[in-house]
Amino acid sequence: MGLLDSMSNFLNQRDGDFIKLEEAETAYGPGPALLLYKVPLGIDNDEIQDMLSDSAPMAFEQGIKLAKINDKENSLLQYTVENALKQVVSGKTTSDDPTTAKDEILVQLDRAEGCPVLFFSGFDNSEMMASYNLLGSEIYKENGETAACAKAVPNAMSKPLKQVVEEISGDHSMAMGESEKTSA
């Protein structure tokens, strides 16, 4: 069984959990905002914003809000996806880091288990994918992990953010693990 067969089997088992990204699809969800789950702390907000200015100029012009979530007890995880995103976009989430710019929200705690997840809201698909490719490459250089890419979608908005990012992280790790086994 090859890599494509492995991915196809995984996706068939999870039918309905994934959506196809169409280039023409418009942005969805509050934002633009980017939740960075388990992204290495060595990649700072200035570096992230610089990458986003190159890869998502329309979203960047609107002012992208960031939130790093590196601990399973992070307060954002207690909210639904919709409410967590609203907290981030409105700036109601606070930071213990006095050097954080006012348009960025940083929650830096211990690294959580699972793979990194880049969760986009309010980005169009082409800018989201360009940003994912750039940020994902940097994450891989930093810690050797392949990040998962996720987008705010209507059927996820009422689910707990903790459940959503853990499922995405777990599904991605499982898919990547199956891919690595079949290519070895």
Side-chain angles (χ1 to χ4, degrees), residues 3-135:
L3 172 63
L4 293 177
D5 292 332
S6 176
M7 289 301 292
S8 178
N9 286 342
F10 175 78
L11 292 173
N12 286 335
Q13 292 170 1
R14 300 300 302 267
D15 188 37
D17 286 350
F18 300 94
I19 61 165
K20 185 175 182 179
L21 299 176
E22 301 293 337
E23 289 294 325
E25 188 176 322
T26 59
Y28 178 80
L34 177 58
L35 305 182
L36 301 117
Y37 179 76
K38 198 192 161 249
V39 169
L41 298 176
I43 303 173
D44 65 26
N45 282 7
D46 289 338
E47 186 177 2
I48 293 166
Q49 288 286 10
D50 188 48
M51 287 186 271
L52 291 170
S53 73
D54 293 337
S55 58
M58 290 185 303
F60 187 78
E61 191 174 296
Q62 295 175 32
I64 301 169
K65 304 293 185 178
L66 304 176
K68 284 187 176 178
I69 302 169
N70 288 314
D71 183 275
K72 286 187 175 187
E73 302 306 316
N74 182 288
S75 63
L76 282 176
L77 296 173
Q78 73 183 347
Y79 296 107
T80 64
V81 170
E82 182 174 16
N83 288 336
L85 289 168
K86 285 179 179 178
Q87 291 285 319
V88 171
V89 169
S90 69
K92 290 183 181 175
T93 304
T94 60
S95 169
D96 295 330
D97 181 0
T99 63
T100 301
K102 68 179 181 179
D103 64 339
E104 298 173 352
I105 297 164
L106 176 64
V107 183
Q108 280 189 308
L109 302 169
D110 296 330
R111 288 180 58 188
E113 295 176 11
C115 75
V117 175
L118 301 174
F119 192 98
F120 294 85
S121 179
F123 281 70
D124 72 31
N125 286 342
S126 60
E127 286 197 347
M128 178 191 73
M129 290 309 299
S131 298
Y132 169 73
N133 289 333
L134 195 55
L135 289 165

